Amino acid sequence: MNRTALTTGVGIAAALGLVLTGCSGTADAGNSDGDGITITYSNFISNDGNEENLQTIIDAFEAENAGITVDVSTLPYADYFTTLQTDLAGGTVADVFDIEFANYAAYQESGVLAELKDVDTSAYQDSLAEAYQTDGTQYALPSSFSNVVLFYNKDLFDAAGVDYPTADWTWADEQEAGKALTDAAAGVWGDYQPISYHEYYKAVAQAGGDVLTDDGTKVAFNSPEGIKAAEWLVGKSGITMPTPEQGAGTPDFDSGLFVDGKLAMWHTGIWMFGTLADTAFDWDIAVEPGDAQQASAMFSNAVAVSSGSKNIEAAQKFAEFLTSSETMVDVRLDSGWELPPISDETKLDSYLTKGAPENRQAVFDSLDGVALSPSIGANQAEMQDIISEELTEATAGRKTVEEALASAEERVNALLG
């Protein structure tokens, strides 16, 4: 599972600075009837096990669009963005290529993404389509998504006599249940939520605040809402969830704790469903609780059409088929290859009945309130590291929450110039 908020391409700004000289002026709508056209598609989404699934979709597209051939290049995720930047700088980028939400803004601002015209955005979940719009214009199409929900161990809840989480829960409800479910002496913890940037930006949204100002030029998280969000995360450590000294934050500690039946609630992504398929206890999921409002982290892959393509019309036709066709939906659901981004939930009925967790509807209910990671371009990774570092200082007691956020504000504002 590729989680968009976790990774930003290395050196995006430096590479894209060369792009417009390599691609400028080459865009052409191509042959409108599609006769004799070959379009190229560079991707990472099918690597490591889904190559045949992608080919099934391409075969169906070519069967419906005589005269258009799709030439596919598949790369490992670890290599993909470096290669993409090189291709963009050299003017050799594919007609259609994969991107992630975290680096969408950098690509769009540099002019390498073609405007997608007359797209039926109603085919997609609203929040997913809107994630790839700038000033009302569509520049990419979501190809798949995943999100974060609240996992819970029903057996532990039953043993403690605590009611299961519902879609109406707030932070206060979660905190109360977490305390009732924690038995530190027995190694049983009520809650687990990583104290990191990725949980913090979401918690700020849940508290009703913003990480950045509307124009993206300054930090906005050093606010009453941002402080409340940091206190919410930091305040769990040693109370309802383990401290770093007890293992919190080490690789796979949280998943191991949940699988062992020692964790009652767990904030994590739906990509963990497969890992939990053979657990010995009963578990389910719910929409994550909020404070002023609900806001769930959403991770998304997308496809874009190169502004330098000579076959923009055919490329867009393929991009739409790849992201919204019935063939794509069937292939993704049958293979378990991430979730299709479509709005028609009747087409997703088979997903809702695939077994544990029982409340798979919470996956889609979570999309009613989405918190997208703020994107600042080339300095994205550094911003994320700064906020995580300062939260770590507050968790360790070396700084107060207020001191940590003030320091983070100063450091991040320096990145923003």
Side-chain angles (χ1 to χ4, degrees):
M1 176 65 62
N2 300 307
R3 300 188 266 289
T4 64
L6 301 185
T7 307
T8 302
V10 178
I12 288 176
L16 296 187
L18 304 174
V19 169
L20 295 182
T21 57
C23 297
S24 178
T26 63
D28 187 341
N31 190 337
S32 61
D33 62 8
D35 290 341
I37 291 175
T38 296
I39 58 173
T40 52
Y41 171 44
S42 179
N43 82 97
F44 62 81
I45 60 169
S46 70
N47 182 64
D48 197 21
N50 285 295
E51 294 87 351
E52 291 185 7
N53 291 325
L54 174 60
Q55 191 59 50
T56 298
I57 299 171
I58 290 172
D59 290 345
F61 171 78
E62 291 178 343
E64 291 187 17
N65 295 274
I68 303 179
T69 301
V70 181
D71 184 10
V72 180
S73 174
T74 300
L75 294 171
Y77 181 76
D79 302 331
Y80 177 81
F81 286 100
T82 299
T83 302
L84 175 60
Q85 290 154 28
T86 300
D87 290 344
L88 286 168
T92 58
V93 70
D95 296 295
V96 181
F97 54 93
D98 285 354
I99 64 171
E100 297 178 309
F101 174 74
N103 46 40
Y104 162 72
Y107 290 130
Q108 191 280 321
E109 289 170 4
S110 54
V112 301
L113 308 183
E115 293 185 15
L116 303 181
K117 299 178 180 179
D118 301 319
V119 176
D120 179 14
T121 55
S122 68
Y124 307 94
Q125 294 275 353
D126 287 344
S127 58
L128 297 175
E130 291 167 3
Y132 300 99
Q133 294 174 5
T134 300
D135 296 330
T137 299
Q138 200 77 40
Y139 285 96
L141 297 174
S143 56
S144 64
F145 81 93
S146 57
N147 55 10
V148 173
V149 292
L150 183 69
F151 289 65
Y152 63 96
N153 181 321
K154 296 174 78 172
D155 290 0
L156 289 178
F157 272 78
D158 291 342
V162 177
D163 291 338
Y164 299 151
T166 71
D168 298 323
W169 262 28
T170 65
W171 285 357
D173 296 313
E174 182 179 339
Q175 182 179 54
E176 181 181 357
K179 290 179 178 178
L181 290 156
T182 296
D183 184 352
V188 176
W189 295 93
D191 202 358
Y192 193 97
Q193 186 170 14
I195 302 173
S196 67
Y197 164 82
H198 306 294
E199 294 298 320
Y200 179 65
Y201 81 77
K202 177 181 63 181
V204 172
Q206 291 171 348
D210 296 294
V211 172
L212 302 175
T213 56
D214 288 343
D215 61 7
T217 61
K218 294 289 182 182
V219 157
F221 58 72
N222 192 12
S223 64
E225 295 84 4
I227 291 171
K228 190 172 186 179
E231 289 175 339
W232 163 244
L233 295 176
V234 171
K236 295 184 179 186
S237 184
I239 305 299
T240 60
M241 76 180 213
T243 64
E245 292 74 22
Q246 293 166 318
T250 57
D252 301 324
F253 175 79
D254 49 348
S255 59
L257 201 63
F258 193 82
V259 168
D260 289 343
K262 300 290 188 180
L263 179 60
M265 292 181 287
W266 183 28
H267 295 255
T268 193
I270 62 175
W271 51 85
M272 295 304 301
F273 287 176
T275 300
L276 303 178
D278 298 322
T279 54
F281 56 86
D282 198 8
W283 61 278
D284 208 342
I285 62 170
V287 177
E288 284 190 289
D291 185 49
Q293 62 187 5
Q294 288 179 322
S296 300
M298 185 272 289
F299 305 103
S300 169
N301 295 322
V303 291
V305 174
S306 169
S307 60
S309 171
K310 295 181 179 180
N311 298 295
I312 286 179
E313 184 176 320
Q316 178 174 328
K317 186 177 291 187
F318 172 64
E320 291 186 64
F321 189 92
L322 181 63
T323 59
S324 63
S325 67
E326 289 190 14
T327 299
M328 176 278 299
V329 174
D330 292 341
V331 168
R332 283 194 174 276
L333 293 181
D334 288 346
S335 64
W337 179 28
E338 297 187 344
L339 281 172
I342 59 172
S343 60
D344 186 353
E345 292 188 7
T346 63
K347 295 181 179 180
L348 301 172
D349 287 346
S350 63
Y351 176 80
L352 296 175
T353 58
K354 284 186 177 293
E358 180 180 355
N359 185 28
R360 286 176 177 247
Q361 181 61 42
V363 174
F364 303 106
D365 292 343
S366 295
L367 296 179
D368 291 340
V370 168
L372 295 171
S373 173
S375 180
I376 65 169
N379 292 324
Q380 179 77 18
E382 190 171 355
M383 176 183 72
Q384 295 174 182
D385 288 345
I386 287 170
I387 292 175
S388 292
E389 288 169 7
E390 295 294 349
L391 290 174
T392 297
E393 291 296 293
T395 304
R398 291 186 288 268
K399 292 182 179 179
T400 65
V401 162
E402 290 80 3
E403 290 170 341
L405 293 187
S407 178
E409 177 182 36
E410 181 178 0
R411 296 172 67 188
V412 175
N413 275 341
L415 296 179
L416 298 172

